[in-house]
Coordinates of all heavy atoms in Angstrom, one line a residue:
S943 N 0.8 -1.2 0.0 CA 0.0 0.0 0.0 C 0.9 1.2 0.0 O 1.9 1.3 0.7 CB -0.9 0.0 1.2 OG -1.8 1.1 1.2
F944 N 0.5 2.2 -0.8 CA 1.2 3.5 -0.9 C 0.3 4.6 -0.6 O -0.9 4.6 -1.0 CB 1.8 3.6 -2.3 CG 2.7 2.5 -2.8 CD1 2.2 1.4 -3.4 CD2 4.1 2.6 -2.5 CE1 3.0 0.4 -3.8 CE2 4.9 1.6 -2.9 CZ 4.4 0.5 -3.6
A945 N 0.8 5.7 0.1 CA 0.0 6.8 0.3 C -0.2 7.7 -1.0 O 0.8 7.7 -1.8 CB 0.7 7.7 1.4
M946 N -1.3 8.3 -1.1 CA -1.6 9.1 -2.3 C -0.5 10.2 -2.4 O -0.2 10.8 -1.4 CB -3.0 9.7 -2.1 CG -3.4 10.6 -3.3 SD -3.7 9.5 -4.8 CE -4.2 10.8 -6.0
G947 N 0.1 10.3 -3.5 CA 1.1 11.4 -3.7 C 2.5 10.9 -3.5 O 3.5 11.6 -3.8
S948 N 2.7 9.6 -3.1 CA 4.0 9.1 -2.9 C 4.6 8.5 -4.3 O 3.8 8.6 -5.3 CB 4.0 7.9 -1.9 OG 3.2 6.9 -2.2
Q949 N 5.8 8.1 -4.3 CA 6.4 7.6 -5.5 C 7.0 6.2 -5.3 O 7.5 5.9 -4.3 CB 7.5 8.6 -5.9 CG 7.0 10.0 -6.3 CD 8.2 11.0 -6.5 OE1 8.9 11.3 -5.6 NE2 8.3 11.5 -7.7
A950 N 7.0 5.5 -6.4 CA 7.6 4.1 -6.4 C 8.0 3.9 -7.9 O 7.3 4.2 -8.8 CB 6.7 3.1 -5.9
Y951 N 9.1 3.2 -8.1 CA 9.7 3.2 -9.4 C 9.9 1.7 -9.9 O 10.3 0.8 -9.1 CB 11.1 3.9 -9.4 CG 11.1 5.3 -8.9 CD1 11.8 5.7 -7.8 CD2 10.3 6.3 -9.6 CE1 11.8 7.0 -7.3 CE2 10.3 7.6 -9.1 CZ 11.0 7.9 -8.0 OH 11.0 9.2 -7.6
I952 N 9.8 1.6 -11.2 CA 10.4 0.5 -11.9 C 11.8 0.9 -12.2 O 12.1 1.9 -12.9 CB 9.7 0.2 -13.3 CG1 8.2 -0.2 -13.0 CG2 10.4 -0.9 -14.0 CD1 7.5 -0.4 -14.3
A953 N 12.8 0.3 -11.5 CA 14.1 0.8 -11.5 C 15.2 0.0 -12.2 O 16.3 0.3 -12.2 CB 14.6 1.1 -10.0
G954 N 14.7 -1.2 -12.7 CA 15.6 -2.0 -13.4 C 14.9 -3.1 -14.2 O 13.7 -3.4 -13.8
A955 N 15.5 -3.6 -15.2 CA 14.9 -4.7 -16.0 C 16.1 -5.5 -16.7 O 17.1 -4.9 -17.0 CB 14.0 -4.1 -17.1
E956 N 15.8 -6.7 -16.9 CA 16.9 -7.6 -17.5 C 16.2 -8.7 -18.3 O 15.2 -9.3 -17.8 CB 17.7 -8.2 -16.4 CG 18.8 -9.2 -16.8 CD 19.5 -9.8 -15.7 OE1 20.0 -9.0 -14.8 OE2 19.7 -11.0 -15.7
I957 N 16.8 -9.0 -19.4 CA 16.4 -10.2 -20.1 C 17.6 -11.0 -20.6 O 18.7 -10.4 -20.7 CB 15.5 -10.0 -21.4 CG1 16.3 -9.2 -22.5 CG2 14.2 -9.2 -21.0 CD1 15.5 -9.2 -23.8
E958 N 17.5 -12.3 -20.7 CA 18.5 -13.1 -21.2 C 18.1 -13.6 -22.6 O 16.9 -14.1 -22.7 CB 18.9 -14.3 -20.3 CG 19.6 -13.9 -19.1 CD 18.7 -13.5 -17.9 OE1 17.8 -14.2 -17.6 OE2 18.9 -12.4 -17.4
T959 N 18.9 -13.5 -23.6 CA 18.6 -14.0 -24.9 C 19.6 -15.0 -25.4 O 20.7 -15.1 -24.9 CB 18.5 -12.8 -25.9 OG1 19.8 -12.2 -26.0 CG2 17.5 -11.7 -25.4
Y960 N 19.2 -15.7 -26.5 CA 20.1 -16.6 -27.2 C 20.1 -16.3 -28.7 O 19.1 -15.8 -29.2 CB 19.8 -18.1 -26.9 CG 18.4 -18.5 -27.4 CD1 18.3 -19.0 -28.7 CD2 17.3 -18.4 -26.6 CE1 17.1 -19.4 -29.2 CE2 16.1 -18.8 -27.1 CZ 16.0 -19.3 -28.4 OH 14.7 -19.7 -28.9
K961 N 21.1 -16.7 -29.4 CA 21.2 -16.6 -30.8 C 22.1 -17.7 -31.4 O 23.1 -18.0 -30.8 CB 21.7 -15.2 -31.3 CG 23.1 -14.8 -30.8 CD 23.5 -13.5 -31.2 CE 24.9 -13.1 -30.8 NZ 25.4 -11.9 -31.3
N962 N 21.6 -18.2 -32.5 CA 22.4 -19.4 -33.1 C 22.3 -19.3 -34.7 O 21.4 -18.6 -35.2 CB 21.8 -20.7 -32.7 CG 21.9 -20.9 -31.2 OD1 22.9 -21.1 -30.7 ND2 20.7 -21.0 -30.6
S963 N 23.3 -19.9 -35.3 CA 23.2 -20.2 -36.8 C 23.0 -18.9 -37.6 O 22.2 -18.8 -38.5 CB 22.1 -21.2 -37.1 OG 22.4 -22.4 -36.5
G964 N 23.8 -17.8 -37.2 CA 23.8 -16.6 -38.0 C 22.7 -15.6 -37.6 O 22.6 -14.5 -38.1
S965 N 21.8 -16.0 -36.6 CA 20.8 -15.1 -36.1 C 21.4 -14.1 -35.2 O 22.5 -14.3 -34.6 CB 19.7 -15.9 -35.4 OG 19.0 -16.7 -36.3
D966 N 20.7 -12.9 -35.0 CA 21.3 -11.9 -34.2 C 20.1 -11.2 -33.4 O 19.1 -11.0 -34.0 CB 22.1 -10.9 -35.0 CG 22.9 -9.9 -34.1 OD1 23.2 -10.3 -32.9 OD2 23.2 -8.8 -34.6
V967 N 20.4 -10.9 -32.1 CA 19.4 -10.2 -31.3 C 19.8 -8.7 -31.4 O 21.0 -8.4 -31.2 CB 19.4 -10.6 -29.9 CG1 18.4 -9.8 -29.1 CG2 18.9 -12.1 -29.8
T968 N 18.9 -7.8 -31.8 CA 19.3 -6.4 -32.1 C 18.8 -5.4 -31.1 O 19.2 -4.2 -31.1 CB 18.7 -6.0 -33.4 OG1 17.3 -6.2 -33.4 CG2 19.3 -6.9 -34.6

């Protein structure tokens, strides 16, 4: 629960990817 007017953040994100046979993640 957060008080009206307060702040909370999405402060980070991470993904893991794979690539094979000439494919590329861009």
Side-chain angles (χ1 to χ4, degrees):
S943 181
F944 302 89
M946 184 69 181
S948 59
Q949 295 172 298
Y951 305 118
I952 299 174
E956 176 183 313
I957 67 170
E958 287 87 53
T959 61
Y960 65 89
K961 58 179 182 177
N962 297 295
S963 300
S965 296
D966 191 22
V967 177
T968 56

